Amino acid sequence: MSIQPGAPGGCCSPLVREPVGEADAAELARVFKALSDPVRLRLLSLVAARSGGEACVCELVEPFDLSQPTISHHLKVLREAGLVTAERRGTWVYYRAVPATLGRLAAVLTPEAVTA
Amino acid sequence: MSIQPGAPGGCCSPLVREPVGEADAAELARVFKALSDPVRLRLLSLVAARSGGEACVCELVEPFDLSQPTISHHLKVLREAGLVTAERRGTWVYYRAVPATLGRLAAVLTPEAVTA
DNA sequence: GCCCTGAATCGACAGCTGTCAACATAGGCC
DNA sequence: GGCCTATGTTGACAGCTGTCGATTCAGGGC
């Protein structure tokens, strides 16, 4: 999970500044792959844009014309990519976006050295 | 190609600000899918980080242990996603990154309203 | 304990993706 | 024109991915 906040390495300097190494590319690709599905993008956005920053699964199934196991599968992919976290509270499971992961990706994609 | 510079619509407000619509999600997913392969990430980075901002295919095949047709395939995916452009000059074809597309993605992923 | 509801996992299957070898196309040079 | 080099395209094939129905697991309320 080298993309997570903890990683201090050069993993997140902009793509355009220097060629990304093999290992970093593999790690980044894993996260981008999680974002490469329209359903997952909307799920992430639904969770992140919600007031309070969290949503339970039941609220996430409704907007889609998909089965609950399918939504659950997509949420798992987002979780394993470090883009969301899940917390069980009683009967329900609440999901939250992980801003740090989003920030890392944004930094990597920044076309000019705005980060400097 | 609604992600290209031309599009003035609300397509690129941050993911976390409001739920992304179905159409925008599909378009974004297309571009993220192009970034979801380690080889393509490295290709994009190799092109963008190059001094002069461009690289010919011959220079891009070399760093990989892959056949030239495979690299050509990946470059086509990047091209169709609007992430790079290709220009033929004589015998060689030169690729360039498209900063505007990268910028859009970075804006969409920005966790807080830095854009405002 | 028993049942009910919310969520995750499993098994299966169609469709997509990355890769290659073989071939086709484009431009320069003799 | 004819050849050579640099790219792109095609066809094929293994492996991954999104989806579902069926099942299982977790908590709460009776």
Side-chain angles (χ1 to χ4, degrees):
Chain A
M1 215 60 73
S2 69
I3 269 203
Q4 294 286 22
C11 93
C12 299
S13 90
L15 214 331
V16 307
R17 179 148 353 145
E18 55 184 346
V20 58
E22 268 185 74
D24 291 342
E27 183 59 31
L28 282 170
R30 269 180 16 97
V31 185
F32 282 127
K33 183 168 297 187
L35 293 176
S36 73
D37 183 280
V39 173
R40 288 197 290 268
L41 274 178
R42 289 177 61 203
L43 280 172
L44 177 59
S45 185
L46 278 172
V47 169
R50 194 146 201 111
S51 69
E54 66 181 13
C56 85
V57 177
C58 56
E59 295 170 314
L60 297 173
V61 171
E62 208 179 324
F64 297 91
D65 211 21
L66 294 171
S67 69
Q68 172 268 322
T70 297
I71 298 298
S72 197
H73 161 69
H74 285 306
L75 287 171
K76 181 178 186 178
V77 174
L78 289 173
R79 228 186 310 134
E80 291 178 339
L83 286 162
V84 301
T85 57
E87 183 197 358
R88 169 153 233 145
R89 287 209 299 274
T91 307
W92 296 273
V93 177
Y94 292 88
Y95 280 79
R96 286 185 164 276
V98 178
T101 306
L102 291 174
R104 294 278 166 152
L105 294 182
V108 168
L109 292 176
T110 297
E112 305 214 316
V114 177
T115 54
Chain B
M1 219 56 76
S2 68
I3 270 202
Q4 295 285 23
C11 93
C12 298
S13 89
L15 215 331
V16 307
R17 179 149 351 144
E18 55 182 347
V20 59
E22 268 185 74
D24 290 341
E27 183 60 30
L28 282 170
R30 267 180 18 96
V31 185
F32 282 127
K33 183 167 298 187
L35 294 176
S36 72
D37 184 281
V39 174
R40 286 197 292 267
L41 273 177
R42 290 176 62 203
L43 280 171
L44 176 59
S45 186
L46 278 171
V47 169
R50 194 144 200 112
S51 70
E54 65 180 13
C56 83
V57 176
C58 56
E59 295 169 314
L60 297 173
V61 170
E62 206 178 325
F64 298 91
D65 211 21
L66 295 170
S67 68
Q68 172 269 322
T70 297
I71 299 297
S72 195
H73 162 68
H74 285 306
L75 288 171
K76 182 179 186 178
V77 174
L78 290 172
R79 230 185 309 134
E80 290 178 341
L83 286 162
V84 301
T85 57
E87 182 198 358
R88 170 150 233 145
R89 287 210 298 277
T91 307
W92 296 274
V93 175
Y94 292 89
Y95 281 79
R96 288 184 162 275
V98 178
T101 305
L102 291 174
R104 295 279 166 151
L105 293 181
V108 167
L109 292 176
T110 298
E112 306 213 317
V114 177
T115 53

